[in-house]
Amino acid sequence: MTTSIPIDVPEVFAASYGGQDPEARAWVARLPHLGGELLRRWELRPDGPAAYGMASLVLPVLQAGGAPAVLKLQQVREETAGVAAGLRAWNGDGVVRLLDHDPDSGAQLLERLDATRPLSALPDDDAAMRILAGLMGRLTAVPAPAGLRRLSGIAATMLDQAPRAVPALRDPAERRLVITCAAAVAELAGEGGDRLLHWDLHDGNVLAGQREPWLAIDPEPLAGDPGFDLLPALDCRWDVVAAGDVGRTALHRFDLLTEALGLDRKRAAGWTLGRVLQNALWDIEDGRTALEPVQVTIATALLNSEYTR
């Protein structure tokens, strides 16, 4: 039997990810041998240096027949546990194709896209938003497979946490904003939806491909209402538009996305406020005492619009 050869794990990734908690440190410590074992099992050859993000290591590889692919190593957490099920349900329609999966480790063998050409490099904001809208419409058209985490449960948890979290914010206006966002979620919580959501679809999570011009990557699938998927697209590319009226830009993007997806705008606005609430709760949990300014701008623009009256 051929023995596996450990892969090299970039020191920067190991230090940043492994510093989070004991489970993360243990996972990083296993990475070299885990990667080596998967290369052996799936008959893969490394084809360049590894790349990494905040939570995953991606190694370009060649399959036994010479076809390019990538080996993605990612710790199994609640938000990533449904990745394989989501990718199988989408079957490559608007999203990177899953070639193989190791359930025990969560490792994925994926088709290789062009990591040097993210959608974020496209200078035309409207063009980028239309591409995001087209992909989002295709992805959310798919019913969520059984077993995924559900938006209804996430909403209930947020509503339970919000009253205890709000006092941590310094600004009374921001405290009122979070309370308003929670009220919007309370109105919708009983109707969480059943579509397959990407959860993190923004211009940095779309890469150029060969079989399609653009394909989504890095989903964190859940079952829910498509309106809950809008905020990452609303909250990107601010370096392109910050010199203008950001509130107006946020509403323009919101109109473009909801029109493309055929969403009820009042309902979509409520779930977008729900995403602002989710991010606020995470920030407070991390010890922050102020909200992200761009998200305050987006939430305020929606609350001042006809969609929330």
Side-chain angles (χ1 to χ4, degrees), residues 151-162 164 281:
L151 177 54
S152 54
I154 291 171
T157 299
M158 290 194 297
L159 292 175
D160 180 63
Q161 294 173 341
R164 297 189 299 273
L281 292 174

Side-chain angles (χ1 to χ4, degrees), residues 106-248:
Q108 306 150 44
L109 185 64
L110 302 166
E111 73 173 305
R112 192 188 302 182
L113 305 180
D114 189 348
T116 68
R117 295 175 56 209
L119 183 60
S120 57
L122 199 67
D124 187 324
D125 186 62
D126 256 16
M129 287 298 122
R130 293 186 187 282
I131 290 166
L132 282 171
L135 292 174
M136 193 180 298
R138 292 163 65 184
L139 298 182
T140 58
V142 176
L148 291 186
R149 57 188 180 140
R150 305 193 66 85
L151 177 54
S152 54
I154 291 171
T157 299
M158 290 194 297
L159 292 175
D160 180 63
Q161 294 173 341
R164 297 189 299 273
V166 164
L169 295 171
R170 290 194 308 264
D171 188 339
E174 292 191 355
R175 294 199 290 269
R176 289 192 296 270
L177 178 62
V178 172
I179 292 170
T180 300
C181 289
V185 172
E187 290 186 11
L188 299 169
E191 302 174 19
D194 64 354
R195 299 291 92 186
L196 180 52
L197 308 186
H198 181 289
W199 188 85
D200 196 24
L201 188 60
H202 55 77
D203 60 351
N205 274 344
V206 176
L207 298 179
Q210 290 188 338
R211 61 183 177 86
E212 291 197 34
W214 300 101
L215 291 165
I217 63 168
D218 289 349
E220 298 180 9
L222 73 153
D225 188 293
F228 197 67
D229 243 11
L230 301 181
L231 185 62
L234 297 175
D235 189 19
C236 68
R237 304 175 62 81
W238 286 104
D239 57 330
V240 177
V241 299
D245 185 333
V246 290
R248 179 176 297 178

Side-chain angles (χ1 to χ4, degrees), residues 5 15 29 42 63 65 75 77 79 88 125 128 140 151 153-154 159 193 242 245 254 267 282 292:
I5 300 175
W42 286 339
Q63 299 177 77
Q75 186 182 8
R77 294 179 180 265
E79 62 271 20
R88 289 193 183 106
D125 186 62
T140 58
L151 177 54
I154 291 171
L159 292 175
D245 185 333
F254 180 81
R267 184 180 181 85
W282 285 340
E292 289 290 336

Side-chain angles (χ1 to χ4, degrees), residues 28-63:
V28 166
R30 291 195 302 270
L31 263 187
H33 291 285
L34 170 62
E37 169 58 23
L38 291 169
L39 291 178
R40 183 197 62 78
R41 188 193 314 171
W42 286 339
E43 299 181 8
L44 307 172
R45 288 182 290 123
D47 188 38
Y52 56 89
M54 292 180 61
S56 63
L57 185 71
V58 178
L59 181 66
V61 295
L62 296 175
Q63 299 177 77

